[in-house]
Amino acid sequence: VFAIGFVFIVLLWLTPALYHVPQSALAAIVVTAVLNLIKPQTMFRLWRVSRTEAGIGLATCVLTLATAPRLYWGVLAGIVMALCHFLYQRLHPRIIEAGLHADGSLRDRHLWQLPALAQGVFVLRMDAELDFASARALEQRIVDHLGAHPELHHLCLLAQPINRIDITGIETFRRIRGLLRQRGGTLHVSGLKLPVENSLRRAGALAPDTDLALYRTDAEALAALQNLHGAQTPC
């Protein structure tokens, strides 16, 4: 915001001061500034990390050069593309069904071909904030899975990665708990962080009842879930 304001002031009131500067000097300033922005090695590294972000960078560069001297159109297009990519990632968070890996960590059960943590329990982890952007994806994943497996009556949410929750996330949490209550099951929540827990408590979403079980750690939740059906810990 400061940079935009500074450029705006320069364009409005200081442009006449550049009238007597030779055009060759102004061109040299522009060329120097542009050359400092061209870093092929950085782009190659970005391509290896994220082809989408590298594509946005290349598209921004091409559009900026194509719209010269109105460079702001290229910059604006780059900002819009970056924001769209950011919103897409927020709307499609990483949600996995967790399984116990041989090294003792909880990982994607389907990716690593791991057995279920416990019989009759759907163990889920979302690596994102529970807010207006990600809440719908989490709820849809749970609804679809429970609809396809009517025999499941227990859902365990590994909440350690959730750092923040908003009112949409709270309402989603209520609906998920209500869904388990209707099925005569229990919502198990592990590792709630204090800011998230405080928000849920203030909203009354953590009222004690038989349809909700809270655990401080994933290990505590895992032990309780395995005792629920007498399952054995995978080796």
Side-chain angles (χ1 to χ4, degrees), residues 90 93 126-131 133-135 161-165:
R90 292 294 304 276
M126 182 177 71
D127 299 331
E129 298 175 349
L130 184 54
D131 56 12
S134 61
I162 301 176
N163 297 318
R164 190 181 69 86
I165 190 170

Side-chain angles (χ1 to χ4, degrees), residues 156-168:
C156 180
L157 178 61
L158 304 177
Q160 183 69 26
I162 301 176
N163 297 318
R164 190 181 69 86
I165 190 170
D166 64 1
I167 186 61
T168 304

Side-chain angles (χ1 to χ4, degrees), residues 39-50 54:
K39 300 178 180 179
Q41 292 182 351
T42 302
M43 187 60 65
F44 290 146
R45 288 196 298 268
L46 180 59
W47 181 264
R48 289 195 295 266
V49 175
S50 173

